[in-house]
Amino acid sequence: MTQSIPLYQQIKQHILARIESGEYPLHQQIPPEQELAGQFGVSRMTAHKAIRDLVQEGYLMRRAGLGTFVTEPKAESPLADINNIADEVRGRGHDYANRVLVLDSRHANEEVALNMGMRLNSKVFHSVLVHLENGVPIQVEERFVNPQLAPGYLQCDFNRQTPNAYLMAQCPLSDMEHIVEARLAPVNISDWLQIAHEQPCLLVTRRTWSLNQLVSFARLWHPGNRYKLRSTLKL
């Protein structure tokens, strides 16, 4: 083994190589820390660091009293940017698809009117989509759109182009607001995400502006066990 590589990193590479080769398939239990420490001639603390890093990176999952198992890495989105979810999924080498559940025009209730900066009962466009990665739901997107800024929204084929992609082309982004909460989802959202009703979700509430005009207000629900948000700040 290359002596210039830290010992814990060598163990990480050893485990990752076996995950990628299929020797450690999805849900397979990996050798315990003590066994890895003996195999590599290192302390148990060094083996623990390697496994801890792989857990944090989403390759492994610890189960209390049972051991450590291979898991599918969580889907990830940058919190400080607005990216097309279809591009994110395909960028991970996975298949993207969506299901359009609702696409209509309605009158803004009090919450929507407040978040959209418009009068109560004003006309808004409304959509609900389920986004899938390799056939597994990773996000339910409910979006309200200012019809004056995106008049062709209801005519879009969102199986070919996501709402995000359409709006970014029609209304170039100038400002955005994100609020992130851990929440239990309404029953219908849980069902669409194919998760248990008691399983927590990450809810991102997002508002976007173009040239100081508020374009859309969206609620983005993610299953907490399949998704993570990332933020990087350069100082």
Side-chain angles (χ1 to χ4, degrees):
M1 299 183 73
T2 305
Q3 296 301 313
S4 61
I5 302 175
L7 292 171
Y8 83 92
Q9 191 68 34
Q10 293 178 23
I11 298 174
K12 284 181 63 176
Q13 291 176 355
H14 169 83
I15 295 171
L16 282 174
R18 279 149 183 77
I19 292 174
E20 291 169 359
S21 70
E23 184 177 340
Y24 293 167
L26 191 62
H27 308 308
Q28 170 73 40
Q29 184 176 9
I30 69 165
E33 292 175 5
Q34 194 65 43
E35 182 177 329
L36 288 168
Q39 180 179 345
F40 286 88
V42 300
S43 69
R44 184 170 178 174
M45 185 176 297
T46 299
H48 174 79
K49 176 172 173 53
I51 292 175
R52 182 190 64 192
D53 284 1
L54 291 173
V55 169
Q56 291 176 343
E57 292 167 14
Y59 293 99
L60 301 176
M61 177 177 62
R62 294 186 188 274
R63 294 180 181 171
L66 296 176
T68 305
F69 297 80
V70 178
T71 188
E72 189 169 2
K74 292 183 179 181
E76 177 179 310
S77 290
L79 184 57
D81 300 310
I82 296 183
N83 293 336
N84 183 1
I85 191 169
D87 293 339
E88 290 180 2
V89 170
R90 291 171 182 141
R92 292 189 283 268
H94 295 169
D95 293 328
Y96 168 79
N98 68 50
R99 296 197 299 267
V100 181
L101 304 180
V102 178
L103 186 58
D104 63 16
S105 173
R106 59 182 58 194
H107 297 295
N109 62 21
E110 185 174 355
E111 180 189 9
V112 173
L114 180 64
N115 279 283
M116 291 292 294
M118 55 177 52
R119 293 179 181 275
L120 186 66
N121 292 322
S122 296
K123 178 181 176 181
V124 292
F125 292 154
H126 174 240
S127 59
V128 179
L129 282 78
V130 181
H131 299 281
L132 303 102
E133 182 167 356
N134 287 342
V136 178
I138 59 168
Q139 184 189 93
V140 170
E141 169 194 334
E142 181 177 28
R143 186 181 297 271
F144 300 89
V145 176
N146 186 333
Q148 295 182 355
L149 301 179
Y153 189 78
L154 297 184
Q155 283 71 53
C156 286
D157 180 358
F158 290 130
N159 291 129
R160 298 173 61 87
Q161 180 184 40
T162 66
N164 169 273
Y166 171 78
L167 291 174
M168 292 290 277
Q170 295 295 312
C171 309
L173 181 70
S174 61
D175 296 282
M176 65 177 176
E177 173 189 85
H178 279 149
I179 299 173
V180 182
E181 303 173 86
R183 294 272 298 273
L184 290 177
V187 171
N188 60 327
I189 300 291
S190 297
D191 290 343
W192 292 334
L193 288 172
Q194 297 176 13
I195 60 174
H197 296 163
E198 66 275 11
Q199 183 175 317
C201 290
L202 286 175
L203 170 61
V204 178
T205 303
R206 173 187 294 168
R207 296 196 297 171
T208 57
W209 286 261
S210 180
L211 302 176
N212 297 319
Q213 294 182 293
L214 210 161
V215 177
S216 75
F217 160 57
R219 301 187 193 98
L220 310 174
W221 294 90
H222 311 87
N225 66 331
R226 299 188 209 129
Y227 214 84
K228 61 181 176 180
L229 297 168
R230 169 179 46 83
S231 180
T232 301
L233 178 63
K234 293 184 178 181
L235 300 177

